[in-house]
Amino acid sequence: MASLSRVLRVAAARPRQSPTRGLGPCNLSSASGPTAEKSVPYQRTLKEGQSTSVVAQGPSRPLPSTANVVVIGGGSLGCQTLYHLAKLGMSGAVLLERERLTSGTTWHTAGLLWQLRPSDVEVELLAHTRRVVSRELEEETGLHTGWIQNGGLFIASNRQRLDEYKRLMSLGKAYGVESHVLSPAETKTLYPLMNVDDLYGTLYVPHDGTMDPAGTCSTLARAASARGAQVIENCPVTGIRVWTDDFGVRRVAGVETPHGSIQTPCVVNCAGVWASAVGRMAGVKVPLVAMHHAYVVTERIEGIQNMPNVRDHDASVYLRLQGDALSVGGYEANPIFWEEVSDKFAFGLFDLDWEVFTQHIEGAINRVPVLEKTGIKSTVCGPESFTPDHKPLMGEAPELRGFFLGCGFNSAGMMLGGGCGQELAHWIIHGRPEKDMHGYDIRRFHHSLTDHPRWIRERSHESYAKNYSVVFPHDEPLAGRNMRRDPLHEELLGQGCVFQERHGWERPGWFHPQGPAPVLEYDYYGAYGSRAHEDYAYRRLLADEYTFDFPPHHDTIKKECLACRGAAAVFDMSYFGKFYLVGLDARKAADWLFSADVSRPPGSTVYTCMLNHRGGTESDLTVSRLAPSHQASPLAPAFEGDGYYLAVGGAVAQHNWSHITTVLQDQKFQCQLIDSSEDLGMVSIQGPASRAILQEVLDADLSNEAFPFSTHKLLRAAGHLVRAMRLSFVGELGWELHIPKASCIPVYRAVMAAGAKHGLINAGYRAIDSLSTEKGYRHWHADLRPDDSPLEAGLAFTCKLKSPVPFLGREALEQQRAAGLRRRLVCFTVEDKVPMFGLEAIWRNGQVVGHVRRADFGFAIDKTIAYGYIHDPSGGPVSLDFVKSGDYGLERMGVTYSARAHLKSPFDPDNKRVKGTY
């Protein structure tokens, strides 16, 4: 059997492929199809007794004629979803697997479970998986799932990596996850075979472990069956039946198989790399790609028994304990795409491409030198599915009601399966998951992206290649850029704008004084024979941001913020979602959708939330009442009845659209939702000088009496019709101008010309983040999420609870108010000049009571500001007295800094500046 060192020598001796090789599909894909089955770690537990193919035997049991829900795919997610559906009391749940359980991609997965990730939601999901696999299933069935708790060890070979691990350690304290930062010497004591000469330190998590895919899935299936669910193997799905209701809404009607059909209103697509094909059966776009992912299993290694699993991110390699051997794998910059996904592929593997895999061997030998002379027992190279943002695809598809996704898990389906299976079951039964799953919700993607092959491919490649990269707070993708650009893009680029990407949109991040830094076509980081960009200004600026300290551009953002506070700044916010809600039932729909009273006279603008039935916040937005009009214009459609203009954050516009659409369909409201996001631009002028500047541009009196706060008017700006709104998202006097696309550049130039003598400057979203944090304004999906209520977030003023008007989520809020709030969002300031970005643990009187959701530096008050929800460890309500009486500290990377809690924003708590009082 070849040793790892010999493999390295052979690979090095092979001629390299031509660097001029093109990027056509054939060059990125495997040259050969799947090979015969190979020896894998799970052979005895999974395939014992399968001497003949089960394909010819027909389904493992007769198909029912009807079902309440049909899960397609018998891998980790399918089995976890079925189990949790049954556990939550769903009757008539059926799982259809085209071959045998785990036969697609689950059977060959490494089965690692790491409890700490740089996401609070993922830490919660992983904790649930661990509970199910390590304890609950065995208690319920008496069967051992194959769980092994051997611990996990994260390797840091540079300071930034160790800082990242310290952040994880601090977050883990908020969730009770034990972890320890070890010195190189301590690491050597724990893992004697490890080379620690090049280490800064490690993070040891003693309760991490390893799952057996076959044992876990078979136990899940038995537990689900015991609760009345049905598992039917050898039954491929060949079609999805769809019907259209009286309102034109497409809905699931059933599934078709070679052995009959099942009538059902709900289908769950857990088909892994085959999920796109299942989606096409239903007219649903599933944005994922299939790639080869590989590891090798070594021969026996003396002294390796009971060692923890290892992730050496900087070497892009993991080492999984395999009894008395190791599995060695990782993520490379040049993964092989599986272009033609075969529907006949089951328990199959690909030939391992040693030229691609060699980089992992080098890293593994450096970390555990004994591997250099250790033989290779088997190779495992199978398909896995990967998504454009390296997050799973879950939730109800916007194209088809009753069609849910549970796929695209980026080779993390085993470790996330329990948590995600539970949330998906809640989603199906109750219409919403319990946790904030927006980051996984398929509705996060704009419809123009989910069917764009180049964008999906580029972003999925970059996500795979950067899977082990340090997660920095201000990183941006280089792939799939310039998909959606607003009318001011080129204008601002020429003025030094450094753009951020949010779901396809290019939005201003900050302004670089040294000139333009355009985003170039994706170069695949030089992989596949592509030529990596040289002297790439945008990439160089991004690299400067790769720090957990204050970034080099801190002073540039400070200048933008203080200009807004002292004079004025103009923000291009054209990427905002802009919708019209109009029609005969528009007022009924608005009363039900929006937590605030938006049925005010035309010309009014209201800040409000949209809630779900559990009282969680699905969105915060502004809603402007419109006067009826029989003539359409670029700034309003023609409509009868009532009309509203909605402005929502661009990063969550698709989520808002889908939420509103779903509510309108469920309530059968007779009204239209019109998307004008691409037709309108939007600039916001904020600061003490904003009135003086705009008075020269707009043909109206802008005094407090003539143009009060929270109102809007149709006006002319430099001769162009615009909708002006007096609003602020940074806590200053200011106006938004909503502008027809063709008028954006002349209006923007007129504003800049008028503002020149007043000190007006361009500013971006990095400044917005700082300014709004300083003022205490909420950011949806940061300190305001679908599992946070407006009462907990300090937004009770957005809820019409004093009126008798019903609205979605009202009952849940009333119950929460009566019972007392179990947590509250609290503002903290830190005197020490230290950067914070979120995930820091919050200490109160020596106990951890939460973690920071959002943090930034406030330049006007010259302090770090953080927001986080705190709870009472005793389980009681969190009163205002509880908040005020505590002694607080925020733990950043293992160091706790004294913090002060605030019940009001520390900046302009009386809101004088918004009113124009300076």
Side-chain angles (χ1 to χ4, degrees):
M1 186 65 69
S3 68
L4 292 182
S5 59
R6 182 173 181 273
V7 169
L8 275 178
R9 291 194 300 272
V10 171
R14 289 180 179 174
R16 295 289 178 181
Q17 295 179 345
S18 170
T20 60
R21 192 173 73 168
L23 286 175
C26 62
N27 295 309
L28 291 176
S29 60
S30 170
S32 62
T35 66
E37 298 177 29
K38 298 190 177 182
S39 174
V40 296
Y42 316 113
Q43 183 170 8
R44 284 184 298 172
T45 59
L46 183 68
K47 295 185 287 181
E48 203 168 70
Q50 295 182 26
S51 57
T52 60
S53 173
V54 296
V55 174
Q57 299 174 2
S60 59
R61 61 186 301 164
L63 272 64
S65 59
T66 63
N68 287 323
V69 57
V70 173
V71 179
I72 301 174
S76 172
L77 257 295
C79 292
Q80 289 278 13
T81 302
L82 185 76
Y83 167 72
H84 284 94
L85 283 169
K87 193 170 184 178
L88 289 174
M90 168 69 81
S91 62
V94 176
L95 184 149
L96 299 180
E97 163 55 44
R98 64 185 177 89
E99 225 264 10
R100 296 293 295 272
L101 294 183
T102 76
S103 63
T105 62
T106 298
W107 73 281
H108 60 69
T109 187
L112 297 162
L113 192 149
W114 317 95
Q115 294 177 89
L116 293 177
R117 306 261 280 204
S119 160
D120 55 345
V121 174
E122 289 191 356
V123 170
E124 294 176 9
L125 297 173
L126 292 165
H128 183 71
T129 299
R130 189 183 179 284
R131 282 193 300 272
V132 169
V133 174
S134 67
R135 188 181 72 243
E136 293 178 2
L137 276 176
E138 187 166 356
E139 291 175 352
E140 189 173 335
T141 66
L143 300 173
H144 183 49
T145 63
W147 166 256
I148 299 173
Q149 181 180 298
N150 60 312
L153 194 60
F154 288 8
I155 307 300
S157 53
N158 58 67
R159 186 177 73 85
Q160 290 177 330
R161 184 68 75 178
L162 190 59
D163 285 346
E164 180 182 41
Y165 294 160
K166 289 177 180 179
R167 290 189 78 211
L168 297 182
M169 178 184 67
S170 293
L171 174 63
K173 291 178 182 178
Y175 288 99
V177 178
E178 181 186 353
S179 64
H180 308 274
V181 172
L182 305 182
S183 67
E186 292 170 324
T187 302
K188 185 71 173 180
T189 300
L190 175 68
Y191 202 121
L193 295 179
M194 182 172 289
N195 167 34
V196 300
D197 293 343
D198 57 347
L199 297 191
Y200 270 64
T202 58
L203 180 68
Y204 175 51
V205 188
H207 298 289
D208 284 354
T210 311
M211 298 171 286
D212 171 15
T216 299
C217 289
S218 61
T219 307
L220 287 166
R222 288 199 186 188
S225 298
R227 294 177 180 270
Q230 296 186 59
V231 176
I232 304 176
E233 297 177 290
N234 191 30
C235 188
V237 171
T238 56
I240 308 294
R241 291 183 179 176
V242 177
W243 68 288
T244 304
D245 67 18
D246 295 340
F247 293 86
V249 179
R250 298 176 70 244
R251 298 181 182 274
V252 168
V255 299
E256 297 174 348
T257 81
H259 312 291
S261 61
I262 302 175
Q263 183 178 332
T264 182
C266 181
V267 165
V268 191
N269 182 357
C270 297
V273 298
W274 295 270
S276 293
V278 173
R280 285 192 292 271
M281 297 177 190
V284 171
K285 293 173 284 189
V286 182
L288 56 76
V289 297
M291 299 184 192
H292 293 201
H293 186 61
Y295 61 86
V296 300
V297 182
T298 72
E299 295 284 0
R300 183 179 185 277
I301 301 172
E302 185 63 37
I304 205 68
Q305 295 86 347
N306 302 318
M307 290 296 102
N309 300 317
V310 173
R311 283 180 96 167
D312 190 340
H313 291 94
D314 295 312
S316 195
V317 67
Y318 63 80
L319 306 172
R320 174 200 190 273
L321 184 67
Q322 190 70 50
D324 58 2
L326 288 178
S327 296
V328 179
Y331 293 84
E332 56 280 347
N334 57 337
I336 299 172
F337 289 79
W338 191 19
E339 303 290 355
E340 301 296 332
V341 178
S342 169
D343 61 0
K344 306 299 182 186
F345 191 97
F347 292 122
L349 295 170
F350 303 105
D351 285 326
L352 182 63
D353 187 319
W354 287 105
E355 186 176 339
V356 172
F357 194 79
T358 295
Q359 56 196 288
H360 305 313
I361 296 177
E362 293 172 340
I365 290 175
N366 174 65
R367 189 56 54 221
V368 181
V370 70
L371 289 175
E372 184 174 10
K373 298 180 180 179
T374 301
I376 297 173
K377 182 179 181 181
S378 61
T379 66
V380 180
C381 181
E384 292 280 4
S385 57
F386 295 88
T387 63
D389 58 1
H390 213 69
K391 295 182 184 298
L393 308 176
M394 294 180 63
E396 191 174 29
E399 305 99 322
L400 180 62
R401 299 300 303 274
F403 190 91
F404 288 81
L405 300 179
C407 53
F409 275 78
N410 305 283
S411 79
M414 280 300 298
M415 72 171 108
L416 289 172
C420 288
Q422 181 184 52
E423 295 305 311
L424 196 50
H426 276 283
W427 222 323
I428 294 163
I429 295 172
H430 302 299
R432 278 300 315 163
E434 284 198 317
K435 304 186 189 307
D436 168 35
M437 301 297 287
H438 169 260
Y440 290 5
D441 192 339
I442 182 62
R443 300 179 301 173
R444 67 190 183 269
F445 295 121
H446 190 261
H447 60 81
S448 66
L449 302 177
T450 54
D451 197 28
H452 197 291
R454 180 178 67 82
W455 181 80
I456 296 170
R457 187 186 193 87
E458 287 185 3
R459 288 293 299 272
S460 298
H461 169 268
E462 185 178 38
S463 294
Y464 181 104
K466 292 182 67 175
N467 184 41
Y468 277 1
S469 297
V470 176
V471 180
F472 290 108
H474 300 300
D475 198 9
E476 295 290 331
L478 296 174
R481 297 294 296 266
N482 295 314
M483 298 296 296
R484 305 174 74 194
R485 297 188 290 187
D486 71 48
L488 296 175
H489 183 89
E490 294 299 323
E491 184 88 2
L492 299 181
L493 180 63
Q495 298 182 47
C497 183
V498 180
F499 285 92
Q500 301 173 330
E501 189 272 348
R502 295 297 181 270
H503 295 296
W505 276 111
E506 298 291 321
R507 74 175 192 183
W510 53 284
F511 286 81
H512 183 48
Q514 270 72 54
V519 179
L520 304 180
E521 183 178 346
Y522 187 50
D523 60 6
Y524 284 88
Y525 293 89
Y528 312 116
S530 63
R531 187 185 184 94
H533 296 305
E534 298 178 3
D535 194 26
Y536 188 179
Y538 185 84
R539 179 183 281 170
R540 189 169 60 250
L541 290 174
L542 270 189
D544 290 341
E545 298 274 295
Y546 292 166
T547 177
F548 292 109
D549 296 322
F550 290 119
H553 315 115
H554 188 66
D555 287 340
T556 302
I557 296 162
K558 175 182 180 179
K559 178 183 176 183
E560 294 180 14
C561 291
L562 293 184
C564 182
R565 294 284 187 231
V570 59
F571 301 89
D572 173 22
M573 304 176 70
S574 298
Y575 98 119
F576 255 50
K578 309 167 199 77
F579 309 145
Y580 293 101
L581 179 65
V582 297
L584 297 177
D585 284 349
R587 179 164 182 168
K588 291 181 182 178
D591 285 343
W592 181 249
L593 274 165
F594 306 123
S595 61
D597 180 10
V598 299
S599 295
R600 300 180 184 183
S604 63
T605 297
V606 178
Y607 172 68
T608 183
C609 295
M610 288 193 293
L611 311 180
N612 53 50
H613 73 278
R614 297 175 60 242
T617 311
E618 291 291 337
S619 170
D620 69 330
L621 68 161
T622 58
V623 178
S624 300
R625 184 77 181 272
L626 303 177
S629 173
H630 296 289
Q631 185 172 358
S633 77
L635 287 163
F639 67 93
E640 295 182 0
D642 294 289
Y644 303 86
Y645 176 58
L646 284 52
V648 302
V652 294
Q654 187 66 35
H655 173 84
N656 278 258
W657 174 271
S658 298
H659 174 74
I660 295 170
T661 300
T662 297
V663 173
L664 297 181
Q665 292 172 358
D666 290 346
Q667 298 297 317
K668 298 180 171 55
F669 289 126
Q670 298 285 342
C671 52
Q672 281 183 288
L673 185 65
I674 302 168
D675 188 354
S676 294
S677 303
E678 307 277 359
D679 304 322
L680 298 173
M682 175 181 165
V683 295
S684 184
I685 300 89
Q686 301 284 323
S690 60
R691 177 181 278 136
I693 294 168
L694 290 175
Q695 196 65 77
E696 298 182 27
V697 179
L698 298 173
D699 63 343
D701 181 358
L702 302 183
S703 66
N704 287 336
E705 296 74 22
F707 205 141
F709 185 73
S710 274
T711 61
H712 65 95
K713 295 181 179 182
L714 288 179
L715 303 174
R716 292 208 171 264
H720 298 264
L721 189 66
V722 302
R723 186 180 302 280
M725 294 184 185
R726 186 173 167 190
L727 295 170
S728 181
F729 47 87
V730 296
E732 298 291 341
L733 175 69
W735 279 262
E736 294 176 0
L737 303 182
H738 298 246
I739 313 166
K741 190 174 183 178
S743 300
C744 285
I745 290 179
V747 170
Y748 167 79
R749 288 175 175 172
V751 169
M752 294 302 291
K757 61 179 176 288
H758 295 282
L760 177 69
I761 70 166
N762 287 304
Y765 271 83
R766 292 282 288 277
I768 290 175
D769 289 341
S770 169
L771 293 163
S772 61
T773 302
E774 188 171 52
K775 181 64 186 101
Y777 291 156
R778 309 297 184 242
H779 277 201
W780 194 84
H781 202 232
D783 42 24
L784 193 61
R785 306 195 304 203
D787 53 349
D788 304 322
S789 83
L791 304 185
E792 296 168 331
L795 297 178
F797 69 91
T798 67
C799 302
K800 48 181 180 273
L801 291 173
K802 293 181 180 179
S803 81
V805 179
F807 60 90
L808 180 58
R810 175 172 186 143
E811 184 177 339
L813 293 188
E814 290 175 336
Q815 292 174 355
Q816 187 180 65
R817 184 174 59 177
L821 301 180
R822 300 295 165 174
R823 53 184 194 136
R824 283 184 189 269
L825 184 66
V826 178
C827 172
F828 300 95
T829 54
V830 178
E831 293 295 332
D832 297 86
K833 295 297 188 295
V834 292
M836 294 187 181
F837 307 103
L839 305 184
E840 293 82 8
I842 302 172
W843 291 83
R844 178 186 181 275
N845 297 346
Q847 293 180 290
V848 177
V849 294
H851 68 278
V852 173
R853 286 277 193 87
R854 177 167 62 115
D856 214 316
F857 194 82
F859 293 100
I861 66 172
D862 199 31
K863 290 181 175 69
T864 292
I865 308 169
Y867 287 84
Y869 288 86
I870 68 169
H871 67 273
D872 184 344
S874 70
V878 178
S879 65
L880 295 179
D881 286 339
F882 178 88
V883 175
K884 290 186 289 185
S885 63
D887 181 18
Y888 293 95
L890 303 182
E891 182 183 322
R892 173 189 183 269
M893 299 179 187
V895 179
T896 302
Y897 297 89
S898 178
R900 179 183 174 189
H902 301 265
L903 297 178
K904 282 188 175 183
S905 164
F907 176 80
D908 188 24
D910 297 324
N911 293 320
K912 291 181 179 179
R913 300 170 75 95
V914 172
K915 300 169 187 174
T917 303
Y918 286 92

